[in-house]
Amino acid sequence: MSSKKSTASAPLSEHLRLPLGPVDMADLDPSATPGYPGKGKADAPERIAALAPQLSDLQEMLFAAGRSVPETAPRVLVVLQGMDTSGKGGVIRHAIGLVDPQGVDLTSFKAPSAEERKHHYLWRIRNALPGAGKIGIFDRSHYEDVLVVRVDSLVPEDVWSKRYDEINEFEAELVAGGTRLVKCMLNVSFEEQKARLTERLANPSKYWKYNPGDVDARKKWPAYMEAYAAALEKCNTEAAPWYVIPADRKWYRNWAVAELLRETLAGMGLAWPPAEFDVATEQKRLAEA
Protein backbone atom coordinates (compact mmCIF):
# COMPACT_ATOMS: atom_id res chain seq x y z
CA MET A 1 0.00 0.00 0.00
CA SER A 2 1.61 3.20 -1.17
CA SER A 3 2.17 6.13 1.20
CA LYS A 4 3.15 8.56 -1.57
CA LYS A 5 0.95 11.21 -3.04
CA SER A 6 -0.53 10.25 -6.37
CA THR A 7 0.86 11.92 -9.43
CA ALA A 8 -1.02 9.64 -11.80
CA SER A 9 -4.66 8.93 -12.41
CA ALA A 10 -4.74 5.68 -10.43
CA PRO A 11 -7.95 5.40 -8.40
CA LEU A 12 -7.63 5.91 -4.67
CA SER A 13 -8.80 2.36 -4.06
CA GLU A 14 -5.52 1.10 -5.55
CA HIS A 15 -3.55 3.11 -3.00
CA LEU A 16 -5.64 2.06 0.00
CA ARG A 17 -6.49 -1.54 -0.80
CA LEU A 18 -4.64 -3.84 1.56
CA PRO A 19 -2.51 -6.37 -0.33
CA LEU A 20 -3.30 -10.01 0.24
CA GLY A 21 -1.01 -11.84 2.62
CA PRO A 22 0.49 -11.36 6.09
CA VAL A 23 -0.24 -8.08 7.89
CA ASP A 24 2.03 -6.20 10.26
CA MET A 25 0.27 -3.18 11.74
CA ALA A 26 3.65 -1.48 12.22
CA ASP A 27 3.98 -1.31 8.42
CA LEU A 28 0.76 0.71 8.04
CA ASP A 29 1.52 4.42 8.50
CA PRO A 30 -1.39 6.18 10.27
CA SER A 31 -0.14 9.63 9.20
CA ALA A 32 0.32 8.91 5.50
CA THR A 33 -1.74 10.57 2.76
CA PRO A 34 -1.67 8.05 -0.11
CA GLY A 35 -3.32 9.15 -3.33
CA TYR A 36 -4.15 12.66 -2.16
CA PRO A 37 -3.91 14.97 -5.20
CA GLY A 38 -3.92 18.31 -3.40
CA LYS A 39 -1.73 20.39 -1.13
CA GLY A 40 -2.91 18.91 2.15
CA LYS A 41 -5.03 20.24 4.97
CA ALA A 42 -5.34 23.67 3.32
CA ASP A 43 -7.37 22.51 0.33
CA ALA A 44 -9.00 19.39 1.80
CA PRO A 45 -12.33 21.07 2.71
CA GLU A 46 -12.64 22.36 -0.86
CA ARG A 47 -11.87 18.94 -2.31
CA ILE A 48 -14.33 17.21 -0.01
CA ALA A 49 -17.05 19.72 -0.93
CA ALA A 50 -16.28 19.20 -4.62
CA LEU A 51 -17.23 15.53 -4.26
CA ALA A 52 -20.75 16.37 -3.08
CA PRO A 53 -22.48 16.98 -6.46
CA GLN A 54 -21.31 13.73 -8.04
CA LEU A 55 -21.93 11.74 -4.85
CA SER A 56 -25.42 13.21 -4.66
CA ASP A 57 -26.28 12.27 -8.25
CA LEU A 58 -24.86 8.76 -7.92
CA GLN A 59 -26.64 8.13 -4.66
CA GLU A 60 -29.93 9.36 -6.12
CA MET A 61 -29.52 6.95 -9.04
CA LEU A 62 -28.96 4.12 -6.57
CA PHE A 63 -31.97 5.18 -4.53
CA ALA A 64 -34.13 5.48 -7.66
CA ALA A 65 -33.20 1.92 -8.63
CA GLY A 66 -34.32 0.78 -5.20
CA ARG A 67 -37.69 2.38 -5.76
CA SER A 68 -38.12 1.23 -9.35
CA VAL A 69 -36.70 -2.31 -9.29
CA PRO A 70 -36.29 -3.28 -5.62
CA GLU A 71 -35.91 -6.96 -6.49
CA THR A 72 -32.69 -6.40 -8.43
CA ALA A 73 -31.45 -3.01 -7.21
CA PRO A 74 -27.91 -3.01 -5.83
CA ARG A 75 -26.93 -1.66 -2.45
CA VAL A 76 -23.73 -0.47 -0.79
CA LEU A 77 -22.42 -1.29 2.68
CA VAL A 78 -19.65 0.85 4.18
CA VAL A 79 -18.02 -0.80 7.19
CA LEU A 80 -16.16 1.58 9.52
CA GLN A 81 -13.88 -0.22 11.92
CA GLY A 82 -11.15 1.25 14.10
CA MET A 83 -9.88 1.93 17.58
CA ASP A 84 -11.53 4.55 19.77
CA THR A 85 -10.93 8.11 18.45
CA SER A 86 -10.09 6.80 14.96
CA GLY A 87 -12.91 8.96 13.62
CA LYS A 88 -15.90 6.82 12.72
CA GLY A 89 -18.25 9.61 13.80
CA GLY A 90 -16.22 12.21 11.94
CA VAL A 91 -16.38 10.19 8.73
CA ILE A 92 -20.13 9.83 9.08
CA ARG A 93 -20.57 13.58 9.54
CA HIS A 94 -18.13 14.85 6.95
CA ALA A 95 -18.03 12.14 4.27
CA ILE A 96 -21.32 10.27 4.47
CA GLY A 97 -22.96 13.60 5.30
CA LEU A 98 -22.43 14.63 1.67
CA VAL A 99 -25.33 12.42 0.53
CA ASP A 100 -29.08 12.54 1.16
CA PRO A 101 -29.80 10.95 4.56
CA GLN A 102 -33.04 9.39 3.30
CA GLY A 103 -30.91 7.06 1.20
CA VAL A 104 -28.70 6.00 4.11
CA ASP A 105 -29.22 3.26 6.69
CA LEU A 106 -26.89 3.93 9.64
CA THR A 107 -26.29 1.40 12.39
CA SER A 108 -23.98 1.85 15.35
CA PHE A 109 -23.12 -1.45 16.98
CA LYS A 110 -22.64 -1.45 20.74
CA ALA A 111 -22.27 -4.39 23.09
CA PRO A 112 -24.98 -6.91 22.15
CA SER A 113 -28.26 -6.72 24.02
CA ALA A 114 -29.76 -9.61 25.97
CA GLU A 115 -31.97 -10.41 22.97
CA GLU A 116 -29.04 -10.28 20.55
CA ARG A 117 -26.98 -12.62 22.73
CA LYS A 118 -29.66 -15.28 22.29
CA HIS A 119 -28.82 -15.47 18.58
CA HIS A 120 -25.81 -16.16 16.38
CA TYR A 121 -23.49 -13.13 16.35
CA LEU A 122 -24.35 -12.39 12.70
CA TRP A 123 -28.08 -12.22 13.46
CA ARG A 124 -28.04 -8.55 14.43
CA ILE A 125 -25.78 -7.79 11.47
CA ARG A 126 -28.20 -9.34 9.00
CA ASN A 127 -31.05 -7.38 10.57
CA ALA A 128 -29.18 -4.12 9.91
CA LEU A 129 -28.23 -4.69 6.27
CA PRO A 130 -29.19 -1.85 3.90
CA GLY A 131 -32.35 -2.10 1.85
CA ALA A 132 -32.53 -2.06 -1.94
CA GLY A 133 -30.96 1.09 -3.37
CA LYS A 134 -29.60 2.17 0.00
CA ILE A 135 -26.16 2.96 1.36
CA GLY A 136 -25.66 1.18 4.66
CA ILE A 137 -23.15 2.48 7.19
CA PHE A 138 -21.89 0.26 9.98
CA ASP A 139 -20.24 2.14 12.86
CA ARG A 140 -18.35 -0.91 14.14
CA SER A 141 -19.57 -4.22 12.77
CA HIS A 142 -19.40 -8.00 12.82
CA TYR A 143 -15.64 -7.59 13.20
CA GLU A 144 -16.16 -6.77 16.86
CA ASP A 145 -16.70 -10.52 17.24
CA VAL A 146 -13.08 -11.20 16.31
CA LEU A 147 -11.66 -8.06 17.94
CA VAL A 148 -13.02 -7.13 21.39
CA VAL A 149 -14.36 -10.67 21.79
CA ARG A 150 -10.88 -12.01 21.15
CA VAL A 151 -8.98 -9.45 23.23
CA ASP A 152 -11.28 -9.73 26.25
CA SER A 153 -11.72 -13.52 25.92
CA LEU A 154 -15.51 -13.21 25.86
CA VAL A 155 -15.74 -16.60 24.16
CA PRO A 156 -13.17 -19.42 23.94
CA GLU A 157 -10.51 -19.30 21.21
CA ASP A 158 -11.96 -22.36 19.49
CA VAL A 159 -15.15 -20.31 19.02
CA TRP A 160 -13.81 -16.96 17.81
CA SER A 161 -11.11 -18.55 15.66
CA LYS A 162 -13.79 -20.11 13.44
CA ARG A 163 -15.43 -16.77 12.80
CA TYR A 164 -12.96 -15.56 10.19
CA ASP A 165 -14.18 -18.21 7.74
CA GLU A 166 -17.80 -17.53 8.73
CA ILE A 167 -17.33 -13.82 8.05
CA ASN A 168 -15.76 -14.52 4.66
CA GLU A 169 -18.69 -16.74 3.71
CA PHE A 170 -21.16 -14.13 4.94
CA GLU A 171 -19.51 -11.33 2.98
CA ALA A 172 -19.26 -13.46 -0.16
CA GLU A 173 -22.99 -14.11 0.16
CA LEU A 174 -23.68 -10.37 0.41
CA VAL A 175 -21.59 -9.57 -2.65
CA ALA A 176 -23.21 -12.37 -4.67
CA GLY A 177 -26.59 -10.93 -3.72
CA GLY A 178 -25.80 -7.47 -5.10
CA THR A 179 -24.25 -5.63 -2.15
CA ARG A 180 -21.04 -3.71 -2.79
CA LEU A 181 -18.84 -3.81 0.33
CA VAL A 182 -16.48 -0.98 1.26
CA LYS A 183 -14.59 -2.11 4.37
CA CYS A 184 -12.57 0.72 5.92
CA MET A 185 -10.13 0.18 8.75
CA LEU A 186 -9.49 3.64 10.21
CA ASN A 187 -5.89 3.39 11.35
CA VAL A 188 -5.07 5.79 14.20
CA SER A 189 -1.73 5.76 16.01
CA PHE A 190 -1.21 5.12 19.72
CA GLU A 191 0.18 8.65 20.12
CA GLU A 192 -2.63 10.38 18.23
CA GLN A 193 -5.25 8.51 20.21
CA LYS A 194 -3.76 9.84 23.45
CA ALA A 195 -3.76 13.39 22.05
CA ARG A 196 -7.43 13.11 21.10
CA LEU A 197 -8.44 11.66 24.45
CA THR A 198 -6.47 14.41 26.20
CA GLU A 199 -8.30 17.02 24.15
CA ARG A 200 -11.65 15.58 25.17
CA LEU A 201 -10.75 15.82 28.85
CA ALA A 202 -9.54 19.41 28.44
CA ASN A 203 -12.74 20.69 26.85
CA PRO A 204 -16.09 20.56 28.72
CA SER A 205 -17.92 20.56 25.39
CA LYS A 206 -16.25 17.25 24.59
CA TYR A 207 -16.76 15.44 27.89
CA TRP A 208 -19.71 13.62 26.37
CA LYS A 209 -17.34 12.01 23.85
CA TYR A 210 -15.03 10.67 26.54
CA ASN A 211 -15.50 7.14 27.78
CA PRO A 212 -13.36 5.92 30.71
CA GLY A 213 -13.44 2.52 29.08
CA ASP A 214 -11.30 3.93 26.26
CA VAL A 215 -8.33 4.05 28.63
CA ASP A 216 -8.93 0.43 29.63
CA ALA A 217 -8.91 -0.57 25.96
CA ARG A 218 -5.80 1.55 25.38
CA LYS A 219 -3.91 -0.52 27.92
CA LYS A 220 -4.57 -3.52 25.67
CA TRP A 221 -3.23 -1.82 22.52
CA PRO A 222 -0.74 -4.60 21.57
CA ALA A 223 -3.48 -7.22 21.88
CA TYR A 224 -5.82 -5.11 19.75
CA MET A 225 -3.16 -4.62 17.08
CA GLU A 226 -2.64 -8.38 16.99
CA ALA A 227 -6.39 -8.90 16.66
CA TYR A 228 -6.68 -6.27 13.92
CA ALA A 229 -3.77 -7.77 12.00
CA ALA A 230 -5.51 -11.17 12.08
CA ALA A 231 -8.87 -9.74 10.97
CA LEU A 232 -7.27 -7.76 8.16
CA GLU A 233 -5.22 -10.72 6.95
CA LYS A 234 -7.81 -13.47 7.27
CA CYS A 235 -10.81 -11.49 5.97
CA ASN A 236 -9.16 -9.68 3.07
CA THR A 237 -10.72 -11.35 0.03
CA GLU A 238 -11.09 -10.49 -3.64
CA ALA A 239 -14.85 -10.18 -3.14
CA ALA A 240 -14.60 -8.05 0.01
CA PRO A 241 -11.17 -6.42 0.34
CA TRP A 242 -10.02 -4.20 3.18
CA TYR A 243 -9.10 -0.56 2.67
CA VAL A 244 -6.76 0.81 5.34
CA ILE A 245 -7.39 4.53 5.86
CA PRO A 246 -4.61 6.47 7.62
CA ALA A 247 -6.57 8.32 10.32
CA ASP A 248 -4.10 10.55 12.14
CA ARG A 249 -4.93 13.39 9.74
CA LYS A 250 -8.65 13.96 10.00
CA TRP A 251 -8.84 15.94 6.77
CA TYR A 252 -7.28 13.08 4.81
CA ARG A 253 -9.40 10.42 6.50
CA ASN A 254 -12.64 12.20 5.64
CA TRP A 255 -11.63 12.90 2.04
CA ALA A 256 -10.42 9.34 1.52
CA VAL A 257 -13.66 7.68 2.63
CA ALA A 258 -15.76 10.13 0.58
CA GLU A 259 -13.64 9.47 -2.50
CA LEU A 260 -13.78 5.70 -1.97
CA LEU A 261 -17.55 5.91 -1.80
CA ARG A 262 -17.63 8.02 -4.98
CA GLU A 263 -15.39 5.53 -6.78
CA THR A 264 -17.56 2.65 -5.66
CA LEU A 265 -20.80 4.23 -6.83
CA ALA A 266 -19.24 5.42 -10.10
CA GLY A 267 -18.09 1.90 -10.85
CA MET A 268 -21.50 0.31 -10.41
CA GLY A 269 -22.88 1.29 -13.80
CA LEU A 270 -25.80 3.17 -12.27
CA ALA A 271 -28.34 4.87 -14.53
CA TRP A 272 -31.65 6.63 -14.16
CA PRO A 273 -34.59 4.21 -14.41
CA PRO A 274 -36.58 4.60 -17.66
CA ALA A 275 -40.08 6.05 -17.53
CA GLU A 276 -42.87 3.53 -17.06
CA PHE A 277 -45.27 5.77 -18.94
CA ASP A 278 -45.42 7.58 -22.28
CA VAL A 279 -43.52 10.81 -21.69
CA ALA A 280 -45.04 12.72 -24.62
CA THR A 281 -48.54 11.80 -23.54
CA GLU A 282 -47.89 12.93 -19.98
CA GLN A 283 -46.35 16.19 -21.16
CA LYS A 284 -49.47 16.88 -23.21
CA ARG A 285 -51.79 15.97 -20.35
CA LEU A 286 -49.88 18.19 -17.94
CA ALA A 287 -49.92 21.14 -20.35
CA GLU A 288 -53.70 20.82 -20.66
CA ALA A 289 -54.33 20.36 -16.94
Side-chain angles (χ1 to χ4, degrees):
M1 188 173 64
S2 171
S3 62
K4 298 179 180 179
K5 289 186 178 181
S6 174
T7 56
S9 57
L12 182 65
S13 54
E14 292 186 12
H15 293 274
L16 297 179
R17 181 168 177 168
L18 184 69
L20 300 179
V23 174
D24 185 341
M25 296 301 295
D27 293 337
L28 304 176
D29 184 359
S31 65
T33 59
Y36 188 71
K39 300 176 181 178
K41 185 176 181 179
D43 66 352
E46 179 182 348
R47 288 186 176 273
I48 293 173
L51 292 172
Q54 188 176 0
L55 270 173
S56 179
D57 284 348
L58 289 166
Q59 187 231 2
E60 192 172 0
M61 288 181 191
L62 179 68
F63 188 73
R67 288 289 186 88
S68 300
V69 285
E71 302 82 8
T72 58
R75 58 205 77 195
V76 174
L77 176 58
V78 179
V79 172
L80 300 176
Q81 196 69 52
M83 294 292 287
D84 299 311
T85 79
S86 61
K88 296 177 289 294
V91 164
I92 292 167
R93 287 192 302 276
H94 298 290
I96 310 304
L98 297 174
V99 302
D100 188 337
Q102 73 172 334
V104 175
D105 289 335
L106 169 63
T107 305
S108 180
F109 289 99
K110 307 297 184 184
S113 66
E115 175 62 24
E116 289 168 342
R117 285 195 294 270
K118 295 177 182 178
H119 300 271
H120 188 273
Y121 70 96
L122 288 175
W123 178 78
R124 65 174 183 163
I125 306 298
R126 291 183 181 278
N127 287 342
L129 291 172
K134 292 288 196 74
I135 297 174
I137 310 295
F138 281 1
D139 177 350
R140 300 188 188 274
S141 67
H142 41 295
Y143 283 99
E144 292 296 291
D145 288 278
V146 290
L147 292 170
V148 64
V149 166
R150 169 177 170 160
V151 171
D152 288 344
S153 301
L154 300 181
V155 300
E157 181 175 353
D158 65 344
V159 174
W160 60 253
S161 63
K162 297 175 183 177
R163 292 178 176 175
Y164 302 108
D165 287 339
E166 291 178 349
I167 287 172
N168 288 338
E169 292 173 5
F170 168 64
E171 292 180 347
E173 173 193 327
L174 292 183
V175 173
T179 297
R180 191 69 63 94
L181 274 173
V182 185
K183 301 191 303 187
C184 299
M185 188 275 173
L186 306 182
N187 186 27
V188 68
S189 68
F190 186 69
E191 296 75 17
E192 179 63 18
Q193 186 196 59
K194 185 172 186 178
R196 293 178 185 178
L197 291 173
T198 299
E199 182 183 2
R200 291 177 183 181
L201 285 175
N203 187 342
S205 70
K206 294 187 177 182
Y207 288 169
W208 65 274
K209 297 177 71 175
Y210 184 83
N211 180 355
D214 293 347
V215 175
D216 298 326
R218 181 174 168 79
K219 292 178 180 178
K220 304 170 186 175
W221 189 275
Y224 269 107
M225 292 302 100
E226 184 178 334
Y228 265 104
L232 292 172
E233 178 180 332
K234 296 176 183 294
C235 297
N236 187 31
T237 64
E238 290 294 341
W242 273 108
Y243 298 100
V244 178
I245 317 295
D248 276 11
R249 305 178 194 270
K250 296 178 183 180
W251 59 266
Y252 175 81
R253 176 200 68 204
N254 296 337
W255 171 82
V257 176
E259 172 60 16
L260 271 181
L261 179 57
R262 186 205 64 78
E263 277 186 22
T264 299
L265 292 168
M268 291 172 65
L270 299 169
W272 297 111
E276 298 179 351
F277 48 83
D278 185 84
V279 176
T281 296
E282 293 305 307
Q283 288 174 334
K284 183 175 184 297
R285 291 179 64 240
L286 180 59
E288 295 171 350

